[in-house]
Amino acid sequence: PLGPGRSVCGPCVTVEDREGGDLIALAAVEVIQPGDVLLVKGREDGERASWSLIHTRAARLRGVGGIVVLGLVSDVGEIVRQGLPAFAFGVSALPCVEGSGGTVNLPVLWGGEPVSPGDIVIGNEDGVVVVQAAALRDVLAQAQRLAEAQQRSLFQLESGAWPLDATGLRSRFRK
Protein backbone atom coordinates (compact mmCIF):
# COMPACT_ATOMS: atom_id res chain seq x y z
CA PRO A 1 0.00 0.00 0.00
CA LEU A 2 1.03 3.58 -0.63
CA GLY A 3 0.20 4.84 2.83
CA PRO A 4 -0.93 3.28 6.11
CA GLY A 5 -4.40 2.04 6.90
CA ARG A 6 -5.62 1.93 3.32
CA SER A 7 -7.98 -0.77 2.13
CA VAL A 8 -10.10 -1.31 -0.94
CA CYS A 9 -12.74 -3.72 -2.19
CA GLY A 10 -14.65 -3.40 -5.43
CA PRO A 11 -15.11 -4.48 -9.02
CA CYS A 12 -12.18 -3.75 -11.28
CA VAL A 13 -11.63 -1.89 -14.48
CA THR A 14 -8.59 -3.50 -16.06
CA VAL A 15 -5.82 -1.56 -17.75
CA GLU A 16 -2.79 -2.92 -19.56
CA ASP A 17 -0.19 -0.22 -20.10
CA ARG A 18 2.49 -1.38 -22.50
CA GLU A 19 4.40 1.91 -22.74
CA GLY A 20 4.22 3.71 -19.38
CA GLY A 21 1.81 6.05 -21.07
CA ASP A 22 -0.62 8.72 -20.03
CA LEU A 23 -3.02 7.94 -22.88
CA ILE A 24 -4.19 4.50 -21.78
CA ALA A 25 -4.30 5.39 -18.07
CA LEU A 26 -6.41 8.49 -18.70
CA ALA A 27 -8.68 6.57 -21.10
CA ALA A 28 -9.30 4.07 -18.30
CA VAL A 29 -10.34 6.88 -15.95
CA GLU A 30 -13.07 7.82 -18.40
CA VAL A 31 -14.80 4.42 -18.10
CA ILE A 32 -14.78 3.97 -14.33
CA GLN A 33 -17.94 4.07 -12.28
CA PRO A 34 -17.99 5.25 -8.66
CA GLY A 35 -16.50 2.55 -6.44
CA ASP A 36 -14.61 0.76 -9.23
CA VAL A 37 -11.01 -0.21 -8.59
CA LEU A 38 -8.54 0.52 -11.34
CA LEU A 39 -6.25 -2.46 -11.82
CA VAL A 40 -3.29 -1.27 -13.89
CA LYS A 41 -0.87 -3.80 -15.31
CA GLY A 42 2.10 -1.54 -15.93
CA ARG A 43 5.30 -1.88 -17.82
CA GLU A 44 7.52 -4.64 -16.57
CA ASP A 45 10.86 -3.07 -17.48
CA GLY A 46 11.25 -1.63 -14.00
CA GLU A 47 12.20 1.86 -15.11
CA ARG A 48 9.28 4.17 -15.92
CA ALA A 49 6.11 4.84 -13.93
CA SER A 50 2.75 3.67 -15.26
CA TRP A 51 0.73 5.84 -12.88
CA SER A 52 1.13 9.32 -11.39
CA LEU A 53 -0.61 12.19 -9.64
CA ILE A 54 -2.52 13.38 -12.71
CA HIS A 55 -4.09 9.94 -13.13
CA THR A 56 -4.89 9.71 -9.42
CA ARG A 57 -6.50 13.13 -9.29
CA ALA A 58 -8.61 12.39 -12.39
CA ALA A 59 -9.66 9.01 -10.97
CA ARG A 60 -10.55 10.51 -7.57
CA LEU A 61 -12.74 13.11 -9.22
CA ARG A 62 -14.59 10.28 -11.04
CA GLY A 63 -15.22 8.40 -7.78
CA VAL A 64 -12.72 5.57 -8.10
CA GLY A 65 -12.66 3.25 -5.09
CA GLY A 66 -8.94 2.59 -5.30
CA ILE A 67 -5.96 2.03 -7.53
CA VAL A 68 -3.75 -1.05 -7.83
CA VAL A 69 -0.69 -0.88 -10.07
CA LEU A 70 1.32 -3.94 -11.02
CA GLY A 71 4.26 -1.76 -11.86
CA LEU A 72 5.75 1.54 -10.81
CA VAL A 73 4.21 4.87 -9.81
CA SER A 74 5.60 8.37 -9.45
CA ASP A 75 4.43 11.26 -7.24
CA VAL A 76 3.89 8.92 -4.27
CA GLY A 77 3.60 11.67 -1.65
CA GLU A 78 0.99 13.51 -3.68
CA ILE A 79 -0.89 10.28 -4.44
CA VAL A 80 -1.05 9.45 -0.72
CA ARG A 81 -2.35 12.96 0.04
CA GLN A 82 -5.25 12.35 -2.36
CA GLY A 83 -6.65 9.98 0.30
CA LEU A 84 -7.38 7.10 -2.07
CA PRO A 85 -6.38 3.53 -1.34
CA ALA A 86 -3.44 3.01 -3.70
CA PHE A 87 -1.14 0.03 -4.10
CA ALA A 88 1.91 -0.42 -6.31
CA PHE A 89 4.89 -2.72 -6.76
CA GLY A 90 7.34 0.14 -6.64
CA VAL A 91 8.25 3.76 -7.25
CA SER A 92 10.04 5.49 -10.11
CA ALA A 93 11.32 9.00 -10.55
CA LEU A 94 10.84 8.56 -14.31
CA PRO A 95 7.39 9.92 -15.18
CA CYS A 96 4.87 8.49 -17.59
CA VAL A 97 5.19 9.36 -21.28
CA GLU A 98 2.34 10.09 -23.68
CA GLY A 99 2.40 6.54 -25.09
CA SER A 100 -0.38 4.82 -26.95
CA GLY A 101 -0.05 1.09 -26.42
CA GLY A 102 -2.41 -0.74 -24.13
CA THR A 103 -5.96 -1.87 -23.44
CA VAL A 104 -8.85 -0.88 -21.19
CA ASN A 105 -11.45 -3.28 -19.80
CA LEU A 106 -10.09 -6.39 -21.46
CA PRO A 107 -8.75 -9.45 -19.61
CA VAL A 108 -5.16 -9.14 -18.39
CA LEU A 109 -2.70 -11.54 -16.80
CA TRP A 110 -1.96 -10.55 -13.22
CA GLY A 111 0.64 -12.66 -11.48
CA GLY A 112 0.13 -15.32 -14.14
CA GLU A 113 -3.63 -15.49 -13.53
CA PRO A 114 -6.33 -14.06 -15.79
CA VAL A 115 -8.26 -11.08 -14.45
CA SER A 116 -11.41 -9.89 -16.18
CA PRO A 117 -13.22 -6.58 -15.89
CA GLY A 118 -15.67 -6.83 -13.00
CA ASP A 119 -13.58 -9.27 -10.96
CA ILE A 120 -13.30 -8.18 -7.34
CA VAL A 121 -10.12 -6.53 -6.05
CA ILE A 122 -9.46 -6.66 -2.31
CA GLY A 123 -6.47 -4.89 -0.83
CA ASN A 124 -5.23 -3.87 2.60
CA GLU A 125 -1.96 -3.52 4.48
CA ASP A 126 -1.23 -7.22 3.87
CA GLY A 127 -1.43 -6.99 0.07
CA VAL A 128 -3.87 -7.34 -2.80
CA VAL A 129 -5.89 -10.28 -4.14
CA VAL A 130 -8.26 -10.57 -7.05
CA VAL A 131 -11.32 -12.84 -6.85
CA GLN A 132 -13.13 -13.91 -9.98
CA ALA A 133 -16.63 -12.47 -9.81
CA ALA A 134 -18.19 -15.92 -10.31
CA ALA A 135 -16.27 -17.33 -7.31
CA LEU A 136 -16.99 -14.48 -4.90
CA ARG A 137 -19.70 -16.20 -2.85
CA ASP A 138 -17.54 -19.30 -2.25
CA VAL A 139 -14.45 -17.26 -1.43
CA LEU A 140 -16.38 -15.11 1.07
CA ALA A 141 -17.74 -18.23 2.79
CA GLN A 142 -14.22 -19.68 3.10
CA ALA A 143 -12.84 -16.37 4.38
CA GLN A 144 -15.60 -16.24 7.01
CA ARG A 145 -14.74 -19.77 8.19
CA LEU A 146 -11.05 -18.85 8.43
CA ALA A 147 -11.79 -15.65 10.35
CA GLU A 148 -14.00 -17.54 12.81
CA ALA A 149 -11.32 -20.20 13.34
CA GLN A 150 -8.72 -17.51 13.95
CA GLN A 151 -10.95 -15.80 16.50
CA ARG A 152 -11.47 -19.10 18.33
CA SER A 153 -7.70 -19.72 18.38
CA LEU A 154 -7.00 -16.20 19.64
CA PHE A 155 -9.62 -16.60 22.39
CA GLN A 156 -8.07 -19.91 23.45
CA LEU A 157 -4.59 -18.36 23.51
CA GLU A 158 -5.85 -15.49 25.67
CA SER A 159 -7.47 -18.08 27.96
CA GLY A 160 -4.11 -19.77 28.55
CA ALA A 161 -4.05 -22.58 26.00
CA TRP A 162 -0.75 -23.64 24.50
CA PRO A 163 -0.31 -22.43 20.89
CA LEU A 164 -0.42 -25.91 19.34
CA ASP A 165 -3.61 -26.69 21.27
CA ALA A 166 -5.27 -23.35 20.52
CA THR A 167 -4.70 -23.79 16.80
CA GLY A 168 -5.58 -27.48 16.68
CA LEU A 169 -2.13 -28.42 15.44
CA ARG A 170 -0.97 -30.53 18.42
CA SER A 171 -1.71 -33.83 16.62
CA ARG A 172 0.45 -32.79 13.64
CA PHE A 173 3.47 -31.87 15.72
CA ARG A 174 6.20 -34.50 15.91
CA LYS A 175 8.80 -34.22 18.64
Side-chain angles (χ1 to χ4, degrees):
L2 300 178
R6 305 294 166 100
S7 63
V8 67
C9 181
C12 70
V13 169
T14 58
V15 180
E16 185 168 7
D17 173 23
R18 296 188 193 114
E19 298 179 0
D22 283 331
L23 178 68
I24 202 68
L26 292 173
V29 169
E30 292 194 4
V31 302
I32 62 171
Q33 298 298 311
D36 283 348
V37 177
L38 277 171
L39 186 80
V40 181
K41 181 180 180 184
R43 290 175 49 133
E44 296 179 11
D45 66 7
E47 293 180 4
R48 185 169 295 282
S50 292
W51 192 264
S52 68
L53 173 61
I54 190 77
H55 309 115
T56 304
R57 179 81 50 93
R60 181 179 58 81
L61 293 170
R62 296 275 302 170
V64 73
I67 301 150
V68 178
V69 180
L70 178 59
L72 306 178
V73 299
S74 62
D75 308 321
V76 172
E78 290 297 322
I79 289 172
V80 169
R81 284 188 276 285
Q82 295 299 303
L84 285 174
F87 302 82
F89 273 32
V91 177
S92 175
L94 294 175
C96 301
V97 295
E98 284 187 13
S100 61
T103 62
V104 175
N105 253 1
L106 293 175
V108 298
L109 284 179
W110 180 275
E113 296 294 323
V115 176
S116 297
D119 285 350
I120 307 303
V121 176
I122 304 164
N124 63 21
E125 291 177 338
D126 293 329
V128 176
V129 297
V130 178
V131 178
Q132 292 179 343
L136 183 60
R137 190 176 305 272
D138 292 338
V139 170
L140 286 175
Q142 178 65 19
Q144 183 65 37
R145 287 191 293 275
L146 290 171
E148 290 168 358
Q150 183 180 41
Q151 288 303 312
R152 284 192 299 274
S153 294
L154 290 171
F155 177 77
Q156 290 176 5
L157 281 170
E158 294 292 332
S159 297
W162 291 101
L164 289 173
D165 296 324
T167 58
L169 296 175
R170 172 76 55 204
S171 64
R172 295 185 191 177
F173 179 69
R174 296 183 189 166
K175 294 182 182 181

